[in-house]
Every structure is written in structure tokens, then in C-alpha cells.
Amino acid sequence: MTVVSVLATTVTVTSGVVAGVLFAVALSVLPALLAMPTDRYIYAHKLIGRKWDPTMPVIVLGSTTVEVVLAFTAPGDSRPLFAIGAVLLLVVSIVSHYCNVPINRRVKSVDPHAVPTNWTDPRPLWRRWHLLRTAVAMVAAVLNATALALL
């Protein structure tokens, strides 16, 4: 197995993990959070983010970096697919960093036992940004699997 094959397999798995995690959150976690009263939502949001927040950026940016390498080193027809996959994962990272993460920080700063009366519920906006990054991550994963098959 060549270095390119190992990298392509790795990026296919890691981008699949990203897409899978985001899909699972959209399918299961998010509807549960939307159904909760505000205080329980804030409490649950804080609990859920403890492990995701430090882990997901490493996986997304690591996968993006490997894809950039593959965009230059992979053979023939797979190169453009890896390049587009890298751009899409970068979009996932940008949406996360500039849209979802600031909302997460705002939610984490609220005491669930003392929710301010003027607090605006961020769940609908967070959901829109999350669905965007989920769709983009899923397309990236499909492109990576296709590129791997072309090797």
C-alpha cells in the first residue's frame, strides 16, 4: 500500500467521522435539545460540548490538511475530488468557528438556574448553521470515498 493510499483511506475515514457525527447530532441530539425547556437545554448543551469542542476541530482541520496534500500528490482524476473535499471541509470549519462556536460560548456563559429574562434562544439559528455544515461535510465524505475508489 502506498503513502497516497494510506492518506486517502485516512481522509476518507476522518471525513466520514465528521459527517457522521454532524449527521447524528442533526438527527438525534438536536431534536432532543429543541424539545427541552430553556434551563434543561442550557445544562444539556454544556454537557454535550465538553468532548466535542476540543476534538472536532482537530479532526476537521487534520482531515483538511491531508486532503490538501492529496490534492497535489494523488494520481490523476482523484486530485480534483480531494481538492474540492478540502475546500468543503474548510467550509465546515469556517461555519463551525464563526457561527456555531460563538453561539456555544454564549450558551455556556448562562447559568441554567438563572436564565436572564431577555435571553434570546439561539437554537433555531444554531440549527440552521449546523444543518449547513452537516450537508457540506456529507458531500466532502462522498467525494473522498469516490476519490479513494479512483486510486
Side-chain angles (χ1 to χ4, degrees):
M1 187 174 258
T2 67
V3 171
V4 168
S5 296
V6 171
L7 291 176
T9 301
T10 300
V11 83
T12 300
V13 170
T14 56
S15 66
V17 166
V18 170
V21 165
L22 295 177
F23 181 76
V25 169
L27 185 66
S28 181
V29 176
L30 188 53
L33 292 174
L34 288 167
M36 292 178 182
T38 302
D39 60 333
R40 289 186 190 154
Y41 157 68
I42 293 169
Y43 179 76
H45 188 107
K46 289 179 179 188
L47 287 176
I48 292 167
R50 284 184 184 167
K51 300 293 182 185
W52 294 125
D53 293 350
T55 305
M56 288 304 287
V58 172
I59 296 170
V60 173
L61 292 173
S63 190
T64 305
T65 302
V66 173
E67 287 219 69
V68 169
V69 170
L70 288 166
F72 290 101
T73 61
D77 294 338
S78 61
R79 279 185 184 186
L81 296 175
F82 285 125
I84 295 167
V87 170
L88 292 175
L89 286 179
L90 188 58
V91 169
V92 170
S93 182
I94 289 168
V95 169
S96 296
H97 184 73
Y98 289 105
C99 302
N100 292 93
V101 169
I103 294 170
N104 293 347
R105 287 185 184 131
R106 242 185 7 246
V107 172
K108 289 177 183 177
S109 71
V110 176
D111 178 354
H113 303 294
V115 179
T117 55
N118 64 343
W119 190 70
T120 303
D121 192 341
R123 288 178 277 191
L125 181 60
W126 194 95
R127 179 180 183 267
R128 284 193 292 274
W129 289 121
H130 181 74
L131 293 177
L132 172 63
R133 67 183 179 174
T134 301
V136 171
M138 292 177 79
V139 172
V142 168
L143 290 176
N144 291 329
T146 303
L148 177 62
L150 293 175
L151 292 181

